Amino acid sequence: MSRQLQYIYKGETKVMTFSYRQHRSPHEAAAEAEGIDITDFLKMERQLEVIADGKAVKNHRESYFNKLGFGKIILLKKDAESIKDKR
């Protein structure tokens, strides 16, 4: 079942269809949509998952994607209001 993924990339809010069948995470889907190759990052993230707790992995992911120019990356609920509408 697909859901809506909303993210901010370089100040622009975008919405796309997301499915766990196609992508491992919302971050991976957003990077692919912007044409960014994160193969090396995904290898590092998998290694980090083995030795660190979930909070460290999440902090590493957020820091990396902020450096790439991404802002908030969220999965929308069916009845949720878009962050695009809250500006």
Side-chain angles (χ1 to χ4, degrees):
M1 179 178 189
S2 62
R3 297 177 63 181
Q4 292 291 318
L5 172 68
Q6 181 172 300
Y7 63 95
I8 300 171
Y9 183 66
K10 295 187 177 181
E12 185 179 343
T13 302
K14 300 180 181 187
V15 178
M16 63 178 280
T17 302
F18 172 80
S19 173
Y20 280 108
R21 288 182 180 173
Q22 295 177 329
H23 299 98
R24 187 171 172 243
S25 72
H27 290 78
E28 183 181 336
E32 183 181 294
E34 295 302 326
I36 300 171
D37 180 17
I38 59 169
T39 305
D40 292 335
F41 166 76
L42 292 174
K43 288 178 188 175
M44 176 64 79
E45 185 178 52
R46 286 184 192 112
Q47 292 174 355
L48 191 58
E49 287 172 348
V50 173
I51 61 170
D53 65 356
K55 186 175 180 180
V57 174
K58 181 179 177 182
N59 288 340
H60 174 68
R61 183 183 312 121
E62 294 298 325
S63 174
Y64 182 82
F65 276 82
N66 284 338
K67 288 177 186 175
L68 292 176
F70 286 93
K72 196 177 233 182
I73 299 175
I74 58 171
L75 287 173
L76 297 175
K77 295 180 182 177
K78 290 182 181 180
D79 58 347
E81 185 178 333
S82 168
I83 58 175
K84 193 174 191 176
D85 298 332
K86 293 182 181 181
R87 285 188 177 184

